[in-house]
Short mmCIF file of all heavy atoms in Angstrom, two decimals:
data_model
loop_
_atom_site.label_atom_id
_atom_site.label_comp_id
_atom_site.label_asym_id
_atom_site.label_seq_id
_atom_site.Cartn_x
_atom_site.Cartn_y
_atom_site.Cartn_z
N VAL A 29 1.59 0.28 -59.23
CA VAL A 29 1.91 1.36 -58.38
C VAL A 29 1.66 0.91 -56.86
O VAL A 29 2.53 1.18 -56.10
CB VAL A 29 1.05 2.64 -58.71
CG1 VAL A 29 0.97 3.60 -57.57
CG2 VAL A 29 1.60 3.20 -60.02
N PRO A 30 0.55 0.31 -56.60
CA PRO A 30 0.45 -0.13 -55.13
C PRO A 30 1.53 -1.05 -54.71
O PRO A 30 1.99 -1.03 -53.56
CB PRO A 30 -1.00 -0.75 -55.08
CG PRO A 30 -1.68 -0.16 -56.18
CD PRO A 30 -0.69 0.16 -57.30
N ALA A 31 1.89 -2.08 -55.53
CA ALA A 31 2.99 -2.95 -55.25
C ALA A 31 4.33 -2.19 -55.01
O ALA A 31 5.11 -2.50 -54.19
CB ALA A 31 3.13 -4.04 -56.34
N SER A 32 4.51 -1.27 -55.91
CA SER A 32 5.80 -0.45 -55.79
C SER A 32 5.79 0.37 -54.45
O SER A 32 6.86 0.44 -53.91
CB SER A 32 5.88 0.50 -57.04
OG SER A 32 6.00 -0.24 -58.23
N GLU A 33 4.71 1.02 -54.13
CA GLU A 33 4.63 1.80 -52.95
C GLU A 33 5.00 0.96 -51.74
O GLU A 33 5.63 1.30 -50.84
CB GLU A 33 3.27 2.46 -52.88
CG GLU A 33 3.01 3.50 -53.86
CD GLU A 33 1.60 4.07 -53.77
OE1 GLU A 33 0.65 3.38 -53.36
OE2 GLU A 33 1.34 5.21 -54.27
N LYS A 34 4.44 -0.35 -51.74
CA LYS A 34 4.58 -1.27 -50.64
C LYS A 34 6.07 -1.66 -50.59
O LYS A 34 6.62 -1.90 -49.51
CB LYS A 34 3.75 -2.46 -50.87
CG LYS A 34 3.80 -3.55 -49.72
CD LYS A 34 2.92 -4.71 -49.97
CE LYS A 34 2.94 -5.72 -48.77
NZ LYS A 34 2.01 -6.84 -49.07
N ALA A 35 6.81 -1.79 -51.73
CA ALA A 35 8.15 -2.16 -51.79
C ALA A 35 9.12 -0.92 -51.69
O ALA A 35 10.30 -1.12 -51.73
CB ALA A 35 8.39 -2.90 -53.19
N GLY A 36 8.61 0.22 -51.50
CA GLY A 36 9.46 1.43 -51.34
C GLY A 36 10.10 1.85 -52.66
O GLY A 36 11.12 2.42 -52.72
N MET A 37 9.31 1.74 -53.79
CA MET A 37 9.88 2.04 -55.11
C MET A 37 9.02 3.19 -55.74
O MET A 37 7.85 3.22 -55.57
CB MET A 37 9.79 0.78 -56.02
CG MET A 37 10.65 -0.30 -55.59
SD MET A 37 10.13 -1.94 -56.43
CE MET A 37 10.43 -1.53 -58.18
N SER A 38 9.73 4.00 -56.53
CA SER A 38 9.02 4.98 -57.34
C SER A 38 8.92 4.53 -58.85
O SER A 38 9.60 3.46 -59.23
CB SER A 38 9.91 6.27 -57.39
OG SER A 38 10.00 6.86 -56.11
N GLN A 39 8.18 5.28 -59.62
CA GLN A 39 8.09 5.04 -61.01
C GLN A 39 9.00 6.22 -61.74
O GLN A 39 8.95 7.35 -61.31
CB GLN A 39 6.69 5.21 -61.65
CG GLN A 39 5.69 4.37 -60.84
CD GLN A 39 5.97 2.85 -60.77
OE1 GLN A 39 6.31 2.28 -61.90
NE2 GLN A 39 5.83 2.25 -59.67
N VAL A 40 9.87 5.79 -62.62
CA VAL A 40 10.51 6.65 -63.56
C VAL A 40 10.02 6.34 -64.98
O VAL A 40 10.25 5.30 -65.49
CB VAL A 40 12.09 6.39 -63.57
CG1 VAL A 40 12.73 7.30 -64.51
CG2 VAL A 40 12.66 6.72 -62.13
N VAL A 41 9.06 7.18 -65.46
CA VAL A 41 8.25 6.72 -66.53
C VAL A 41 8.84 7.14 -67.94
O VAL A 41 9.41 8.13 -68.13
CB VAL A 41 6.81 7.29 -66.42
CG1 VAL A 41 6.32 6.91 -65.14
CG2 VAL A 41 6.77 8.80 -66.57
N TRP A 42 8.55 6.20 -68.87
CA TRP A 42 9.01 6.42 -70.21
C TRP A 42 7.73 6.73 -71.11
O TRP A 42 6.70 6.32 -70.82
CB TRP A 42 9.84 5.31 -70.85
CG TRP A 42 9.31 3.92 -70.97
CD1 TRP A 42 9.31 2.92 -70.01
CD2 TRP A 42 8.69 3.38 -72.08
NE1 TRP A 42 8.73 1.88 -70.41
CE2 TRP A 42 8.30 2.01 -71.76
CE3 TRP A 42 8.35 3.76 -73.39
CZ2 TRP A 42 7.63 1.15 -72.63
CZ3 TRP A 42 7.76 2.94 -74.28
CH2 TRP A 42 7.44 1.60 -73.87
N SER A 43 7.88 7.45 -72.17
CA SER A 43 6.90 7.83 -73.12
C SER A 43 5.79 8.58 -72.44
O SER A 43 4.62 8.31 -72.72
CB SER A 43 6.23 6.56 -73.83
OG SER A 43 5.50 6.85 -75.00
N PRO A 44 6.07 9.67 -71.66
CA PRO A 44 5.08 10.50 -71.15
C PRO A 44 4.25 11.16 -72.23
O PRO A 44 3.18 11.68 -71.87
CB PRO A 44 5.89 11.46 -70.23
CG PRO A 44 7.24 11.53 -70.83
CD PRO A 44 7.48 10.12 -71.38
N LEU A 45 4.81 11.35 -73.39
CA LEU A 45 4.10 11.94 -74.56
C LEU A 45 3.39 11.01 -75.52
O LEU A 45 3.05 11.35 -76.53
CB LEU A 45 5.04 12.85 -75.31
CG LEU A 45 5.75 14.02 -74.49
CD1 LEU A 45 6.61 14.80 -75.57
CD2 LEU A 45 4.67 14.98 -73.94
N ALA A 46 3.33 9.70 -75.09
CA ALA A 46 2.72 8.64 -75.89
C ALA A 46 3.42 8.78 -77.35
O ALA A 46 2.77 8.80 -78.37
CB ALA A 46 1.26 8.89 -75.95
N GLN A 47 4.74 8.59 -77.35
CA GLN A 47 5.49 8.62 -78.62
C GLN A 47 5.30 9.92 -79.36
O GLN A 47 5.27 9.94 -80.70
CB GLN A 47 5.21 7.44 -79.35
CG GLN A 47 5.52 6.11 -78.70
CD GLN A 47 6.97 6.05 -78.31
OE1 GLN A 47 7.84 6.27 -79.11
NE2 GLN A 47 7.23 5.66 -77.06
N GLY A 48 4.94 11.06 -78.72
CA GLY A 48 4.78 12.29 -79.40
C GLY A 48 3.39 12.71 -79.71
O GLY A 48 3.01 13.84 -80.15
N VAL A 49 2.38 11.63 -79.60
CA VAL A 49 1.03 11.86 -79.95
C VAL A 49 0.35 13.01 -79.07
O VAL A 49 -0.38 13.74 -79.49
CB VAL A 49 0.26 10.60 -79.79
CG1 VAL A 49 -1.28 10.79 -79.89
CG2 VAL A 49 0.64 9.60 -80.90
N LEU A 50 0.84 12.96 -77.86
CA LEU A 50 0.20 13.96 -76.84
C LEU A 50 0.81 15.31 -77.06
O LEU A 50 0.31 16.36 -76.32
CB LEU A 50 0.37 13.53 -75.37
CG LEU A 50 -0.43 12.25 -75.06
CD1 LEU A 50 -0.12 11.75 -73.55
CD2 LEU A 50 -1.98 12.59 -75.00
N SER A 51 1.74 15.44 -77.91
CA SER A 51 2.23 16.85 -78.20
C SER A 51 1.25 17.62 -79.10
O SER A 51 1.43 18.76 -79.36
CB SER A 51 3.63 16.76 -78.87
OG SER A 51 3.52 16.23 -80.24
N GLY A 52 0.36 16.87 -79.78
CA GLY A 52 -0.64 17.39 -80.61
C GLY A 52 -0.20 17.52 -82.11
O GLY A 52 -0.95 18.10 -82.92
N LYS A 53 0.96 16.93 -82.43
CA LYS A 53 1.46 17.14 -83.80
C LYS A 53 0.83 16.20 -84.76
O LYS A 53 0.88 16.51 -85.93
CB LYS A 53 2.97 16.96 -83.86
CG LYS A 53 3.51 15.61 -83.50
CD LYS A 53 4.99 15.55 -83.55
CE LYS A 53 5.67 14.39 -82.99
NZ LYS A 53 7.12 14.43 -82.95
N TYR A 54 0.17 15.15 -84.31
CA TYR A 54 -0.60 14.26 -85.19
C TYR A 54 -2.00 14.57 -85.12
O TYR A 54 -2.65 14.56 -84.13
CB TYR A 54 -0.39 12.76 -84.73
CG TYR A 54 0.95 12.35 -84.75
CD1 TYR A 54 1.77 12.22 -83.55
CD2 TYR A 54 1.66 11.96 -85.95
CE1 TYR A 54 3.10 11.77 -83.55
CE2 TYR A 54 2.92 11.46 -85.96
CZ TYR A 54 3.62 11.45 -84.71
OH TYR A 54 4.94 10.92 -84.86
N ARG A 55 -2.62 15.05 -86.27
CA ARG A 55 -3.88 15.61 -86.47
C ARG A 55 -4.91 14.56 -87.01
O ARG A 55 -4.40 13.94 -87.96
CB ARG A 55 -3.97 16.87 -87.20
CG ARG A 55 -2.95 17.87 -86.75
CD ARG A 55 -3.30 18.47 -85.40
NE ARG A 55 -4.46 19.22 -85.45
CZ ARG A 55 -5.01 19.74 -84.37
NH1 ARG A 55 -4.44 19.57 -83.09
NH2 ARG A 55 -6.13 20.43 -84.40
N PRO A 56 -6.03 14.34 -86.56
CA PRO A 56 -6.97 13.45 -87.08
C PRO A 56 -7.28 13.83 -88.58
O PRO A 56 -7.55 14.93 -88.98
CB PRO A 56 -8.32 13.61 -86.28
CG PRO A 56 -8.08 14.93 -85.49
CD PRO A 56 -6.65 15.09 -85.34
N GLY A 57 -7.22 12.77 -89.45
CA GLY A 57 -7.53 13.00 -90.88
C GLY A 57 -6.41 13.58 -91.76
O GLY A 57 -6.57 13.80 -92.89
N GLU A 58 -5.19 13.69 -91.04
CA GLU A 58 -4.13 14.36 -91.77
C GLU A 58 -2.86 13.34 -91.72
O GLU A 58 -2.78 12.59 -90.84
CB GLU A 58 -3.69 15.67 -91.13
CG GLU A 58 -4.68 16.75 -91.16
CD GLU A 58 -4.28 18.08 -90.60
OE1 GLU A 58 -3.03 18.20 -90.17
OE2 GLU A 58 -5.17 18.88 -90.34
N PRO A 59 -2.05 13.44 -92.74
CA PRO A 59 -0.80 12.53 -92.65
C PRO A 59 0.14 13.00 -91.64
O PRO A 59 0.13 14.09 -91.26
CB PRO A 59 -0.29 12.67 -94.06
CG PRO A 59 -0.80 14.10 -94.59
CD PRO A 59 -2.09 14.22 -93.95
N PRO A 60 0.93 12.07 -91.10
CA PRO A 60 1.99 12.47 -90.08
C PRO A 60 2.87 13.49 -90.67
O PRO A 60 3.21 13.46 -91.82
CB PRO A 60 2.78 11.18 -89.83
CG PRO A 60 1.67 10.10 -90.33
CD PRO A 60 1.04 10.63 -91.48
N PRO A 61 3.25 14.42 -89.75
CA PRO A 61 4.18 15.54 -90.30
C PRO A 61 5.54 14.99 -90.66
O PRO A 61 6.03 13.91 -90.16
CB PRO A 61 4.29 16.42 -89.06
CG PRO A 61 3.88 15.55 -87.87
CD PRO A 61 2.90 14.62 -88.37
N SER A 62 6.20 15.60 -91.57
CA SER A 62 7.54 15.25 -92.04
C SER A 62 8.50 15.24 -90.87
O SER A 62 8.59 16.05 -90.06
CB SER A 62 8.01 16.21 -93.13
OG SER A 62 9.36 15.91 -93.59
N GLY A 63 9.31 14.19 -90.91
CA GLY A 63 10.40 13.97 -89.86
C GLY A 63 9.79 13.46 -88.51
O GLY A 63 10.62 13.30 -87.68
N SER A 64 8.64 13.17 -88.47
CA SER A 64 7.95 12.57 -87.21
C SER A 64 8.39 11.09 -87.01
O SER A 64 8.72 10.44 -88.02
CB SER A 64 6.44 12.80 -87.13
OG SER A 64 5.89 12.01 -88.17
N ARG A 65 8.12 10.69 -85.77
CA ARG A 65 8.38 9.30 -85.37
C ARG A 65 7.56 8.26 -86.21
O ARG A 65 7.98 7.18 -86.58
CB ARG A 65 8.29 9.03 -83.98
CG ARG A 65 8.66 7.66 -83.42
CD ARG A 65 8.89 7.64 -81.94
NE ARG A 65 10.08 8.46 -81.64
CZ ARG A 65 10.38 8.64 -80.37
NH1 ARG A 65 9.69 8.27 -79.28
NH2 ARG A 65 11.45 9.41 -80.10
N ALA A 66 6.32 8.75 -86.58
CA ALA A 66 5.40 7.77 -87.27
C ALA A 66 6.00 7.45 -88.68
O ALA A 66 5.58 6.48 -89.32
CB ALA A 66 4.06 8.44 -87.49
N LEU A 67 6.99 8.22 -89.23
CA LEU A 67 7.60 7.95 -90.51
C LEU A 67 8.92 7.35 -90.38
O LEU A 67 9.53 7.02 -91.48
CB LEU A 67 7.59 9.25 -91.33
CG LEU A 67 6.29 10.05 -91.68
CD1 LEU A 67 6.51 11.25 -92.40
CD2 LEU A 67 5.43 9.11 -92.37
N ASP A 68 9.45 7.10 -89.21
CA ASP A 68 10.65 6.50 -88.93
C ASP A 68 10.50 4.96 -89.01
O ASP A 68 9.58 4.41 -88.44
CB ASP A 68 11.24 6.91 -87.61
CG ASP A 68 12.60 6.30 -87.43
OD1 ASP A 68 13.58 6.75 -87.88
OD2 ASP A 68 12.64 5.37 -86.45
N GLU A 69 11.46 4.29 -89.63
CA GLU A 69 11.33 2.84 -89.77
C GLU A 69 11.21 2.12 -88.46
O GLU A 69 10.47 1.12 -88.33
CB GLU A 69 12.60 2.31 -90.55
CG GLU A 69 12.57 0.75 -90.78
CD GLU A 69 13.73 0.28 -91.62
OE1 GLU A 69 14.58 1.17 -92.02
OE2 GLU A 69 13.88 -0.92 -91.83
N VAL A 70 12.01 2.60 -87.42
CA VAL A 70 11.94 1.93 -86.13
C VAL A 70 10.83 2.46 -85.24
O VAL A 70 9.98 1.78 -84.65
CB VAL A 70 13.31 1.98 -85.47
CG1 VAL A 70 13.22 1.33 -83.96
CG2 VAL A 70 14.36 1.25 -86.27
N GLY A 71 10.83 3.79 -85.14
CA GLY A 71 9.86 4.45 -84.20
C GLY A 71 8.43 4.27 -84.59
O GLY A 71 7.56 4.32 -83.70
N SER A 72 8.06 4.03 -85.94
CA SER A 72 6.74 3.92 -86.31
C SER A 72 6.10 2.71 -85.65
O SER A 72 4.90 2.73 -85.37
CB SER A 72 6.61 3.78 -87.75
OG SER A 72 7.31 2.50 -88.23
N THR A 73 6.80 1.68 -85.35
CA THR A 73 6.31 0.46 -84.74
C THR A 73 5.74 0.82 -83.24
O THR A 73 4.95 0.07 -82.82
CB THR A 73 7.19 -0.63 -84.66
OG1 THR A 73 8.41 -0.32 -83.84
CG2 THR A 73 7.79 -1.08 -86.05
#
């Protein structure tokens, strides 16, 4: 961020929800909900 500010650059950020974890849908001690990224072959990684 300091280097970007010096260079006149902004951030356009990806994964603001931490791959959906910050939405609250993944609960401690419970399996991932059906259809979630955690169960997708690519997204789970």
